[in-house]
Amino acid sequence: MKLPNFLLILCSFSSALIASERMEISRLPDLPPLAGTEENLGLASPYFGHHKGHIILAGGANFPDGLPWETRSDGSASPKVYYDDIYTKPFGEESWQISKTTLPIPLGYGGSVSHPTLGLICIGGENKTPTRETPQQLNRSANVFSISIQPDGKVSIDSDFPPLPVATTNLTAALDGDMLYAVCGGTEQGSTNQVYSLDLSDPEDRENLVWQELPPIPGSPRQLPVASVQSDGKENRLYVFSGRAPGPKSVDLLTDTWSYSPSTRIWERKRDLPRVAMAASAAPAGTAHVLIFGGDDGVLFQQLEYDLPQAIEKASTSEEKQKLEQERLRILTETHPGFSRDILSYHTITDQWVTAGEVPSDLICPACTAAFEHEGQFYLSTGEKSPGIRTPQVLQLSFPDTRAAFGFLNYAVMGLYLIGILINGFWFARKMKSTDDFFKAGGRIPWWAAGLSIFGTQLSAMTFIAVPAKAYATDWTLLVGQFSILLVAPFIIAWFLPFYRRLNVTTAYEYLERRFHVATRCFGSVLFICLQLARIGIVLFLPSLVLSIVTGMGVTSCILLMGILCLIYSTSGGMEAVVWTDVTQVIILLVGAVACLVVVPMKIDGGWNAMVAAADAADKFKFFDFRLDFASTAFFVVVLGTITQNFISYGTDQSVIQRYLTTADEKESRRSIWTNAILAIPASFLFFGLGAALYAYYSLNPTLLDPMMEKPEAILPLFLVENLPVGLSGLVIAAIFAASMSSVDSAMNSVSAAVTTDFYQRFRTSATAQSSLRVARIATFAVGILGISLALLFAHTDVQSIWDQFAFFLGLFGGALAGLFVLGIFTRRANATGAAVGLVASAALQWFLTTNGLVSSWFFAFTGIASCVSIGWLASLAFRRATAEELQGLTLRTQRIAGE
């Protein structure tokens, strides 16, 4: 399928492709010479990393007395010398410092990782004794220690770590949060494929730190492999690449790639490397790339280390032997090209390899190095320039920013769209005469607009961004859950809709007081308010992270832009402005998604068929997962979970209930609910299909992926800015802004309704229509300010742990709150005391299930409702039963009887 000429012209305004991108490489100051020496020859296989703003390089080995094939004046071979020196250099400063503190022993050829609190953790390695005499004895190490920078800048060594189970050299190491991995290497028994892990989440409890033996790599035992931890879109995995498996007469040079899942404890074979990369170094990049720097491609290794030495040993005459020795020496000293200069990039989601760059000829890309990433910059340690020859060079590497400029036209379109939203708010402000107008739009909303608004409330910016990103990284397993709305909608229409309409409530929590107690109403309303405040902060913060990447605006600017606009039109225009804004952004987002889905196959050789074939080959259309695993996204977990989630949203969530109460009558409300339910199915296929299409596009064009993409959710916004026509991409980005604002304005208006109705009007008996409207507007403004402040707090402080605890606490009661509505509406036996018992017991059960990892987050809603209803009903049997008069019109049965 060819791209039409007019689209080719419009798309030509897009940015340069990532394919033209090459890493920018510079040379840091060389290592300084040690005392008593004139120059630093460089070190092979040092421990290398960073801690508290300092680069740390320690240990390593070289040949200071001559090359290894040369002999000294006494006729002995030049020995390999190992060091215990520690070099440090603050980031941004020019000179290295040699610390007075040294390693416990001279050491090199181990693994090292940078831990944010513990420092540079060094694992295993080797040295040789005597130090500068021959013959030397190889000593493998099992030692584990850390090198840290103290507040005064001094270096400290902590050796109080459990040693490796087996003394190992030529190993590699990787770190996943607090989980430390030691991978393969050489032991006294030879090469190993064993992997060990050490949990450092409680480093103060050193007595209980124990290395755990993981399943061995299924491939060959190996030395000098490369390892890194990176996400595959589902979880963080340990990746192990290449290495060598030496034998008595030959060596197996490996190009295999292995991926280890901590959740399943299973190794999976991935796409092989394009070349051998033994003794290379690796670092994770962005959200799904691993970079491999240099290493030995093995082209001459077999010849130099096996073939020629064996031929020399078998030579029948001295002349033949001398000729072979000269040939080996000639290769070592004259023709050896050095090690690989290319930098390989592996993408964990598409399982593709590309060349990310190449070290220029005036710099050295060594083997036997270590590498790390810090604030978008990569650092490569000294190492081996060619066999026996070291280099003191330390390199700094980075990717230039070649993303598409958002451009004036896109900014102009986005600006006009956002101005239109403001005008919309001011237009409807003139109709706001009472709280009924402000919260229910005076019943003036047509059914189709209410339906689109409900759909828009559920279709947040994170949904538009995150669902395609999730499908791109995984498959369609979660799509089955989108059909649950078709199962839930009839029950909402049959039971909840008439219930709320006939009770004529403004908030759903008014019902809880009538059915149970005023305290139940207040608790439910407060919990809803807290959840919505947290939602405002998150919905402003998370999309801003992605939008800032695409537009070039700062995260703070994105948060303030969306938050302030929401404040203005929601405070002025009320629910009517909110609904019509939702309608507009839903239409634009769906048009944008369709445009992306049309453009993707146009940019793939082979068009639609090639796109579908590539996605199908990667099993992206996998729809069912029938595992019996409550902690997974298995079919029954997703179905039950989404049924209960939709039940909570449409039956007990004020922000949704408020939408279908804005229509003129019950018939119109029914139509609005069905509009949303029916629209959700093709929209879900659209977004999941777009994720599969993006996977096909980037798997067939891996050079177009941005290795430094900060957020996985940026995959769709970046694609549309770089590939949709200018103007249309600006409009879709504007709609993403609007989608965020749609979720925020819904929360603001709904919280305002809860504050005004459940507290002000409930406890202020003298409240008038005008005073209530004034309080509603003040509450909307206050909620908006609090939500914006929370989003800015997320953006500028490290409050992740506090937020996690807050969200966890609120989540304990989310399903239980919905359970209260089920108890009240569907049972006559439930009472206030029993409902309170069910609420607390449900929260306790949720805490137990969560902390022990027994169920998936998708199953959380189901367990919350089920436990609250069952325990609450049983507890109610022990307390007084409500009379028929007290229940009149407050349960499904008594309301039907009253209506007959």
Side-chain angles (χ1 to χ4, degrees):
M1 182 183 298
K2 293 185 178 180
L3 199 63
N5 290 334
F6 76 94
L7 278 180
L8 281 171
I9 295 171
L10 288 172
C11 290
S12 66
F13 288 98
S14 297
S15 70
L17 299 177
I18 301 300
S20 64
E21 180 175 285
R22 287 294 181 267
M23 294 197 80
E24 296 176 345
I25 304 172
S26 59
R27 180 176 177 177
L28 295 182
D30 290 353
L31 293 182
L34 296 171
T37 63
E38 296 182 358
E39 64 175 339
N40 195 311
L41 300 176
L43 300 159
S45 294
Y47 303 97
F48 186 59
H50 65 97
H51 185 233
K52 293 186 177 178
H54 288 70
I55 301 174
I56 302 173
L57 189 149
N62 61 23
F63 293 90
D65 298 338
L67 296 174
W69 53 85
E70 297 176 345
T71 56
R72 297 187 291 186
S73 57
D74 61 0
S76 61
S78 297
K80 179 184 284 190
V81 176
Y82 294 76
Y83 296 87
D84 59 5
D85 303 285
I86 299 174
Y87 302 83
T88 64
K89 187 183 86 66
F91 288 107
E93 294 192 11
E94 289 301 317
S95 59
W96 291 90
Q97 302 295 323
I98 302 176
S99 174
K100 294 180 180 179
T101 304
T102 62
L103 299 183
I105 56 173
L107 211 59
Y109 295 88
S112 57
V113 297
S114 300
H115 190 280
T117 57
L118 297 175
L120 178 63
I121 302 176
C122 308
I123 308 106
E126 68 176 40
N127 62 23
K128 289 184 178 181
T129 54
T131 304
R132 300 181 86 132
E133 299 178 15
T134 54
Q136 291 181 304
Q137 174 66 43
L138 177 65
N139 304 303
R140 299 176 184 86
S141 173
N143 292 349
V144 179
F145 56 91
S146 67
I147 306 171
S148 60
I149 305 297
Q150 299 305 303
D152 59 3
K154 294 182 178 179
V155 173
S156 175
I157 301 288
D158 181 357
S159 299
D160 190 20
F161 290 88
L164 284 171
V166 180
T168 309
T169 185
N170 289 338
L171 73 156
T172 188
L175 186 68
D176 181 11
D178 287 316
M179 187 62 70
L180 173 63
Y181 295 101
V183 181
C184 300
T187 67
E188 187 177 355
Q189 287 72 38
S191 300
T192 178
N193 57 357
Q194 189 57 61
V195 180
Y196 299 96
S197 67
L198 182 66
D199 187 352
L200 298 172
S201 56
D202 188 10
E204 300 302 322
D205 187 13
R206 298 296 174 94
E207 292 183 359
N208 292 318
L209 288 181
V210 179
W211 286 96
Q212 301 294 325
E213 184 174 333
L214 302 181
I217 297 176
S220 302
R222 67 196 65 207
Q223 298 185 40
L224 298 173
V226 191
S228 183
V229 169
Q230 183 57 284
S231 171
D232 69 341
K234 304 173 187 175
E235 62 176 339
N236 280 355
R237 286 178 168 242
L238 172 65
Y239 289 87
V240 179
F241 311 92
S242 190
R244 71 184 185 213
K249 295 185 178 181
S250 63
V251 62
D252 188 6
L253 301 174
L254 306 172
T255 58
D256 51 352
T257 299
W258 294 93
S259 169
Y260 175 74
S261 167
S263 60
T264 63
R265 293 175 60 86
I266 293 175
W267 289 95
E268 183 179 353
R269 181 76 179 263
K270 297 294 185 179
R271 188 182 299 271
D272 285 1
L273 286 81
R275 63 167 174 84
V276 176
M278 62 178 176
S281 54
T287 58
H289 280 84
V290 176
L291 300 182
I292 294 182
F293 304 94
D296 188 349
D297 61 13
V299 172
L300 295 175
F301 186 82
Q302 174 74 33
Q303 183 181 7
L304 289 172
E305 300 299 324
Y306 285 87
D307 297 343
L308 283 173
Q310 290 174 23
I312 291 170
E313 184 178 349
K314 295 178 180 178
S316 57
T317 66
S318 58
E319 290 82 3
E320 184 182 358
K321 181 176 181 180
Q322 184 178 13
K323 183 178 180 180
L324 291 170
E325 288 175 342
Q326 289 175 347
E327 172 63 14
R328 185 170 186 269
L329 183 62
R330 185 186 66 81
I331 295 173
L332 288 169
T333 59
E334 298 177 13
T335 64
H336 196 290
F339 298 114
S340 301
R341 292 186 171 277
D342 58 337
I343 300 165
L344 300 178
S345 175
Y346 174 69
H347 190 239
T348 58
I349 294 174
T350 59
D351 193 29
Q352 296 289 338
W353 289 94
V354 298
T355 300
E358 185 173 293
V359 176
S361 57
D362 59 330
L363 297 175
I364 297 170
C365 188
C368 296
T369 60
F372 68 85
E373 182 272 338
H374 177 69
E375 296 183 352
Q377 301 289 315
F378 299 89
Y379 297 85
L380 188 62
S381 75
T382 68
E384 193 169 340
K385 174 183 176 181
S386 61
I389 304 175
R390 288 8 181 190
T391 173
Q393 291 184 11
V394 178
L395 301 183
Q396 180 177 342
L397 310 92
S398 62
F399 285 99
D401 187 0
T402 58
R403 290 173 184 157
F406 196 56
F408 172 78
L409 183 57
N410 280 334
Y411 275 120
V413 170
M414 187 174 76
L416 289 173
Y417 180 80
L418 297 178
I419 289 171
I421 289 176
L422 285 180
I423 295 173
N424 181 64
F426 292 135
W427 173 262
F428 288 107
R430 58 191 177 87
K431 297 183 179 181
M432 300 298 107
K433 307 298 182 184
S434 66
T435 53
D436 187 65
D437 289 324
F438 196 79
F439 296 133
K440 296 183 181 179
R444 294 185 291 270
I445 303 297
W447 61 268
W448 59 268
L452 286 176
S453 182
I454 295 173
F455 178 76
T457 300
Q458 305 294 1
L459 178 67
S460 67
M462 286 312 297
T463 302
F464 179 83
I465 294 170
V467 169
K470 188 70 174 177
Y472 159 79
T474 57
D475 51 38
W476 283 15
T477 304
L478 297 178
L479 176 59
V480 66
Q482 305 305 309
F483 289 88
S484 64
I485 183 58
L486 296 179
L487 300 176
V488 172
F491 294 99
I492 297 297
I493 290 171
W495 297 333
F496 285 87
L497 172 61
F499 215 85
Y500 292 132
R501 299 278 320 195
R502 292 167 192 173
L503 288 173
N504 192 28
V505 295
T506 300
T507 74
Y509 311 106
E510 292 179 67
Y511 167 73
L512 292 179
E513 177 181 359
R514 300 185 192 181
R515 179 64 176 85
F516 295 120
H517 192 271
V518 65
T520 312
R521 173 184 182 177
C522 291
F523 175 82
S525 188
V526 167
L527 183 62
F528 170 77
I529 290 169
C530 291
L531 285 167
Q532 293 304 310
L533 279 174
R535 185 186 182 204
I536 291 172
I538 289 296
V539 168
L540 283 175
F541 170 60
L542 292 181
S544 294
L545 292 176
V546 175
L547 292 170
S548 67
I549 296 171
V550 175
T551 63
M553 298 171 60
V555 174
T556 298
S557 299
C558 291
I559 291 172
L560 291 175
L561 176 63
M562 291 188 291
I564 291 172
L565 286 175
C566 280
L567 270 178
I568 294 173
Y569 76 77
S570 296
T571 303
S572 57
M575 179 55 70
E576 197 161 6
V578 168
V579 168
W580 288 110
T581 301
D582 290 348
V583 170
T584 305
Q585 62 92 0
V586 164
I587 293 172
I588 294 176
L589 281 180
L590 292 178
V591 169
V594 170
C596 287
L597 196 57
V598 170
V599 168
V600 170
M602 290 180 176
K603 288 182 166 286
I604 294 176
D605 290 338
W608 183 271
N609 291 338
M611 181 185 75
V612 172
D616 187 47
D619 207 17
K620 288 295 170 180
F621 301 124
K622 179 182 177 182
F623 201 73
F624 298 108
D625 180 355
F626 292 114
R627 288 177 296 165
L628 190 62
D629 183 358
F630 287 91
S632 70
T633 54
F635 176 80
F636 76 96
V637 171
V638 173
V639 170
L640 289 178
T642 52
I643 285 175
T644 48
Q645 285 174 8
N646 280 313
F647 189 77
I648 291 172
S649 295
Y650 292 89
T652 67
D653 187 337
Q654 172 64 20
S655 61
V656 177
I657 293 171
Q658 200 170 341
R659 292 300 198 283
Y660 57 70
L661 295 181
T662 59
T663 56
D665 52 38
E666 194 172 316
K667 180 180 179 181
E668 294 277 286
S669 294
R670 286 196 297 269
R671 289 180 174 179
S672 70
I673 293 173
W674 275 119
T675 298
N676 164 74
I678 294 172
L679 184 60
I681 303 306
S684 297
F685 274 103
L686 173 62
F687 291 128
F688 277 87
L690 187 52
L694 288 173
Y695 174 87
Y697 175 73
Y698 285 113
S699 65
L700 296 172
N701 300 280
T703 56
L704 302 183
L705 284 162
D706 181 0
M708 296 307 295
M709 187 169 65
E710 297 94 335
K711 297 291 177 183
E713 294 82 11
I715 190 71
L716 175 58
L718 284 175
F719 174 85
L720 63 89
V721 168
E722 292 175 351
N723 292 279
L724 287 190
V726 174
L728 178 57
S729 59
L731 186 62
V732 177
I733 293 297
I736 294 176
F737 272 96
S740 295
M741 291 189 289
S742 171
S743 300
V744 171
D745 61 32
S746 300
M748 288 167 58
N749 193 277
S750 299
V751 169
S752 175
V755 171
T756 305
T757 305
D758 294 328
F759 295 95
Y760 178 73
Q761 292 179 341
R762 170 64 179 78
F763 297 103
R764 184 72 175 266
T765 55
S766 60
T768 64
Q770 289 302 313
S771 67
S772 295
L773 181 59
R774 184 171 60 253
V775 168
R777 283 192 160 127
I778 293 172
T780 302
F781 186 82
V783 169
I785 293 296
L786 287 172
I788 293 170
S789 300
L790 187 59
L792 292 173
L793 184 67
F794 291 151
H796 294 285
T797 59
D798 185 14
V799 293
Q800 186 63 43
S801 60
I802 298 174
W803 159 251
D804 287 344
Q805 293 301 316
F806 179 62
F808 171 69
F809 174 77
L810 293 177
L812 295 179
F813 294 95
L817 179 60
L820 291 181
F821 284 90
V822 175
L823 271 173
I825 294 172
F826 293 98
T827 72
R828 290 177 292 168
R829 190 65 185 84
N831 51 49
T833 307
V837 172
L839 184 73
V840 174
S842 174
L845 176 64
Q846 298 288 75
W847 175 85
F848 174 77
L849 293 175
T850 303
T851 54
N852 290 280
L854 298 178
V855 298
S856 165
S857 59
W858 288 91
F859 210 53
F860 214 45
F862 177 80
T863 56
I865 292 180
S867 58
C868 181
V869 171
S870 56
I871 297 173
W873 187 84
L874 290 172
S876 296
L877 298 177
F879 302 97
R880 186 185 74 85
R881 182 171 185 168
T883 63
E885 291 77 14
E886 292 172 325
L887 294 178
Q888 184 65 34
L890 297 179
T891 69
L892 191 65
R893 181 175 177 81
T894 58
Q895 193 180 70
R896 285 178 175 173
I897 292 174
E900 291 176 355

